[in-house]
Amino acid sequence: MLRNRQLHIKVFVVYTLILITLTLLVAIPINWFVKESLKQTLDQEARSTLENISTQLDAFYNEYNQITKYFYLNQDHEGYTPIEYFDILKSSPSDAIYIKTHNALMNSLALNSEVYENITRISLLTDNFLLLSSKNNSSNPFKQSNYVEAAREKAGDVYVKYNSDPWNQDNEDPVMIFTRQLRISNHEIGFLEVQFNGFPLHNLSLMNGGTIAIYNEDGSRVLYQSDKKGVNGQKEFLREMIDTRKSKGSKTSNGQVQYYIRSNHSNFHLLYSVKEEQFYASLSHFNFLMAVAILFLIFLTAGAFFITAKKLTFPLRNLKNVIDNISLEEEPSKIENQHHLNEIDALNRSFQLMNKRLQNSLEKIVQFHTSEIQLKFKLLQAQINPHFIFNMLGVVTILAKRGKNKEVEEISRKLADFLRYTTSSDNTNQTYLIEEIKFTETYLALMKTRYIDRLTFTIDIPRSMESILIPKMMIQPIVENCLTHGFTNNKVLNINIKGVKCEKSWEIVIQDNGPGFKVRSLEKLHNQIGEYNSDSHKHYDLSIGGMGILSTYIRLNLFYSNNMIFDFGNMTQGGAFVAIGGSNESNFVLNKDEELENSSKR
């Protein structure tokens, strides 16, 4: 999609995609973290609301039990408890006793009303009317209670109801009413009713759409419900919690998020239900705002990227124009640096250096071709050792006198092959390694006809190396040096040529068991190679005889440059070695001029 687009468009698209990816990589975890934190906050808020209600109900329940214990156990100075006074008062005593018992009971009611601040009324009831109460401001103080029978059925346990004050029709404020049957020796005395302030429930701060429901001990009766319509699935969830005897729990079903808590002391069952969409409304709002913020950030940053990419790639477009009009003979123009960027200055310097390196490379190529031509002439004129030809002709003469025509024929053929390779008039200055090895093997075979048993040689070249291109006359001159300097004290000279190819390079090692390099010769060769490396433009005589090592190094360096392998020296067990090689990836062609000429002819 971006293949034929301009660079600043590609940079803009790539950077924008990277920005979007990084933004998503950052935003998704943040969104997940905030979502989980918000859910935990909402969850904690719902649970905290239930726990506060549970704590308040337990406080009411415990206070009611404390008041009950007071009526049963607290004796005055005459040894009577409030419940005994209550029993006496019911039996229609004389006026004096009535006044005494009435005052004692009213004092008990007043005292407990003052001790517990959440109490709005404490009352003593008989079967059908209000007998005594800590408050008596009703327009109908003796209104018949309709829940006395329900309290009697509890047989001493607490009966709870959430309602307005039944003994005061003028007051509609909600109260939590706790009622219990008072008994002495299975004899009913009456009922103790305590009303607690119901505003904490009535004024609960709930989530939008949230409802609170309070059920009695067995879950059969609703004591309080903030939403009179009820919630779908609430009773099923309550029954599930009661059956599993869990004290806490939560569940999401039927579009409702429900929480459950059972109070510790009063054993009331509390349910908090919120519509799921309302519960996560703030989260949805956060997700929307975050998405808007991310899109705004992406568009803003993408626009900045586009402008920046266009400015940054302007020097590259300018560089293209400079390259299109460059000439290696002239100093290249500098790239315009409008924004004074250090990178553009560095690019300018690198461009100037590249141009100089290109000029140097061209000079090396010209020098290489000149050296090859010089080598070819020297090979034709003087480099084929006359003694070598003379010796080979002498060998042929001797064999001919002995009537060994087959050997004469073989030597003549090999000598012809040798001369054909060295005097070839084709325009190529390079050859395949297999051809160079065959030429060297022919040379060694010819020399063996002269030295016979005094010369042995082995050649081990892997087939994978046969197609490697190398400069012509690269190996034979080194072998010739071995023969020239290797024979001493009638010792058999052994020459070993071995090739090794690795993943990234190849190498050929030529070894002999002769006396090796003299120390002075090694120093001279190292100095000459050092001089060449410091000044490659200096002219060197590339003759084979006497300077075969330096000639091989220079030609190999021109062919492979920094990717070449070249080493020489003496071996610890005796003898000398020369190692040459190069990179497998080098594909340098030496006869560029010839190829261009041939292509133009075609």
Side-chain angles (χ1 to χ4, degrees):
M1 182 179 67
L2 299 176
R3 182 173 299 174
N4 298 321
R5 300 294 181 184
Q6 294 183 358
L7 179 59
H8 69 277
I9 298 295
K10 294 181 180 179
V11 172
F12 163 72
V13 173
V14 171
Y15 279 2
T16 301
L17 291 176
I18 293 174
L19 171 66
I20 293 174
T21 303
L22 292 177
T23 303
L24 292 178
L25 288 176
V26 173
I28 290 175
I30 291 177
N31 179 266
W32 178 86
F33 175 79
V34 173
K35 179 180 178 180
E36 291 300 315
S37 299
L38 189 56
K39 285 175 65 176
Q40 291 178 6
T41 301
L42 296 172
D43 183 88
Q44 186 62 33
E45 179 182 345
R47 295 180 187 277
S48 178
T49 300
L50 285 182
E51 288 173 356
N52 290 338
I53 297 173
S54 175
T55 301
Q56 188 67 57
L57 290 176
D58 283 341
F60 290 169
Y61 183 82
N62 291 333
E63 289 175 8
Y64 180 79
N65 285 335
Q66 291 296 327
I67 295 172
T68 303
K69 289 179 181 178
Y70 176 89
F71 272 83
Y72 270 102
L73 302 177
N74 191 63
Q75 295 179 342
D76 63 2
H77 62 281
E78 293 184 8
Y80 288 95
T81 62
I83 195 171
E84 291 174 336
Y85 279 121
F86 189 19
D87 190 31
I88 295 171
L89 191 65
K90 281 181 57 183
S91 61
S92 301
S94 62
D95 291 341
I97 294 175
Y98 176 85
I99 293 172
K100 180 180 178 180
T101 56
H102 181 274
N103 290 338
L105 289 171
M106 290 301 296
N107 289 335
S108 297
L109 296 175
L111 176 63
N112 281 280
S113 295
E114 291 296 323
V115 170
Y116 301 106
E117 61 182 9
N118 288 319
I119 293 177
T120 59
R121 180 192 291 271
I122 302 178
S123 304
L124 293 174
L125 313 178
T126 60
D127 193 23
N128 58 359
F129 64 94
L130 179 65
L131 183 61
L132 293 173
S133 178
S134 61
K135 290 174 66 175
N136 192 15
N137 55 353
S138 174
S139 60
N140 184 16
F142 299 106
K143 174 184 176 183
Q144 183 175 354
S145 174
N146 57 356
Y147 56 85
V148 169
E149 188 60 31
R152 180 179 286 116
E153 292 176 0
K154 299 288 285 185
D157 287 336
V158 181
Y159 177 82
V160 182
K161 184 176 179 64
Y162 184 86
N163 204 346
S164 60
D165 187 354
W167 311 113
N168 186 358
Q169 293 182 338
D170 300 329
N171 187 4
E172 297 295 328
D173 293 338
V175 291
M176 183 69 74
I177 305 172
F178 287 70
T179 307
R180 171 182 279 144
Q181 183 187 43
L182 300 178
R183 303 164 62 90
I184 297 179
S185 301
N186 294 325
H187 168 63
E188 180 181 299
I189 304 302
F191 299 88
L192 174 64
E193 176 194 282
V194 178
Q195 297 181 9
F196 293 91
N197 184 6
F199 274 109
L201 282 177
H202 195 68
N203 296 330
L204 279 174
S205 177
L206 303 177
M207 299 181 196
N208 188 21
T211 61
I212 291 289
I214 303 174
Y215 287 79
N216 65 345
E217 299 88 335
D218 59 3
S220 61
R221 183 169 55 87
V222 178
L223 303 181
Y224 168 78
Q225 189 163 278
S226 59
D227 186 358
K228 302 302 181 182
K229 297 179 181 178
V231 177
N232 292 333
Q234 189 179 76
K235 290 185 178 180
E236 291 79 5
F237 176 58
L238 173 63
R239 183 50 54 190
E240 178 184 344
M241 292 293 101
I242 293 175
D243 293 342
T244 55
R245 298 184 179 180
K246 292 183 178 179
S247 60
K248 294 181 180 180
S250 62
K251 183 179 181 180
T252 301
S253 62
N254 300 323
Q256 295 284 337
V257 181
Q258 302 187 74
Y259 294 87
Y260 164 83
I261 285 182
R262 185 180 69 245
S263 58
N264 295 327
H265 302 291
S266 58
N267 287 324
F268 295 145
H269 304 283
L270 288 74
L271 291 171
Y272 190 1
S273 301
V274 186
K275 289 183 178 180
E276 191 173 5
E277 60 184 20
Q278 296 294 335
F279 186 84
Y280 295 114
S282 56
L283 182 60
S284 300
H285 184 62
F286 167 78
N287 288 338
F288 174 77
L289 291 179
M290 189 171 185
V292 171
I294 290 174
L295 289 175
F296 175 78
L297 176 64
I298 289 175
F299 281 118
L300 182 66
T301 311
F305 275 164
F306 181 80
I307 297 173
T308 304
K310 195 168 184 179
K311 289 184 177 180
L312 288 178
T313 54
F314 172 77
L316 297 179
R317 298 194 295 273
N318 189 19
L319 174 62
K320 175 186 176 299
N321 296 331
V322 172
I323 293 175
D324 288 342
N325 299 299
I326 192 172
S327 173
L328 291 176
E329 293 79 17
E330 300 175 357
E331 191 74 16
S333 303
K334 288 189 176 182
I335 305 170
E336 187 177 357
N337 189 6
Q338 294 180 343
H339 304 287
H340 305 288
L341 300 176
N342 294 334
E343 290 79 6
I344 303 303
D345 290 334
L347 184 61
N348 265 322
R349 290 192 295 270
S350 298
F351 186 69
Q352 302 294 328
L353 290 174
M354 181 193 70
N355 187 66
K356 290 182 179 179
R357 285 197 296 270
L358 287 174
Q359 291 176 343
N360 291 336
S361 297
L362 285 176
E363 290 175 3
K364 275 191 174 184
I365 294 173
V366 172
Q367 179 187 357
F368 181 81
H369 283 289
T370 303
S371 300
E372 289 296 314
I373 294 171
Q374 179 189 7
L375 177 63
K376 186 174 292 186
F377 277 111
K378 286 181 179 289
L379 286 172
L380 289 172
Q381 297 173 8
Q383 296 312 302
I384 301 175
N385 193 329
H387 292 288
F388 167 72
I389 302 296
F390 176 78
N391 291 333
M392 288 298 100
L393 292 176
V395 170
V396 169
T397 302
I398 293 171
L399 292 175
K401 288 181 179 181
R402 294 177 181 177
K404 295 183 178 182
N405 297 330
K406 186 175 181 180
E407 285 82 351
V408 170
E409 179 184 354
E410 180 68 19
I411 294 174
S412 299
R413 184 183 59 78
K414 290 182 178 179
L415 184 58
D417 291 340
F418 178 84
L419 293 174
R420 185 181 299 109
Y421 187 85
T422 57
T423 61
S424 174
S425 61
D426 57 29
N427 292 324
T428 58
N429 297 315
Q430 58 186 349
T431 186
Y432 290 110
L433 178 61
I434 184 62
E435 298 296 332
E436 183 73 9
I437 292 297
K438 287 180 180 179
F439 169 69
T440 304
E441 187 176 9
T442 300
Y443 173 76
L444 284 169
L446 289 170
M447 296 304 294
K448 186 169 177 61
T449 61
R450 176 188 175 192
Y451 293 105
I452 310 175
D453 294 334
R454 293 185 61 203
L455 173 65
T456 62
F457 64 90
T458 58
I459 300 176
D460 182 13
I461 302 296
R463 293 184 62 87
S464 59
M465 295 179 62
E466 292 180 352
S467 60
I468 295 175
L469 280 173
I470 63 171
K472 209 169 183 180
M473 300 292 291
M474 183 64 66
I475 299 175
Q476 185 272 339
I478 300 175
V479 172
E480 183 177 349
N481 279 345
C482 293
L483 291 169
T484 303
H485 304 286
F487 284 106
T488 57
N489 300 325
N490 296 321
K491 181 180 178 182
V492 176
L493 178 65
N494 179 41
I495 298 175
N496 180 37
I497 303 173
K498 183 176 179 60
V500 178
K501 187 175 183 181
C502 302
E503 181 181 354
K504 295 183 179 180
S505 63
W506 62 270
E507 183 179 11
I508 294 177
V509 181
I510 301 99
Q511 300 174 336
D512 66 30
N513 60 345
F517 291 99
K518 295 180 180 180
V519 176
R520 183 174 298 177
S521 297
L522 283 175
E523 291 179 354
K524 182 179 179 180
L525 286 171
H526 282 298
N527 290 335
Q528 288 174 338
I529 290 173
E531 290 177 3
Y532 173 79
N533 289 334
S534 61
D535 185 10
S536 60
H537 299 291
K538 184 178 178 180
H539 175 75
Y540 291 90
D541 182 14
L542 299 182
S543 62
I544 298 300
M547 293 189 67
I549 299 296
L550 180 60
S551 172
T552 302
Y553 176 84
I554 293 175
R555 297 175 70 230
L556 198 64
N557 178 265
L558 291 172
F559 194 88
Y560 285 104
S561 187
N562 295 330
N563 294 322
M564 78 167 183
I565 297 172
F566 188 83
D567 193 14
F568 62 93
N570 294 325
M571 298 183 292
T572 56
Q573 70 271 25
F577 77 92
V578 177
I580 62 174
S583 170
N584 291 332
E585 298 180 357
S586 297
N587 193 24
F588 188 79
V589 178
L590 300 180
N591 53 341
K592 286 290 185 181
D593 295 335
E594 291 83 356
E595 286 191 352
L596 290 173
E597 182 179 354
N598 294 335
S599 63
S600 62
K601 291 179 180 179
R602 288 195 296 266

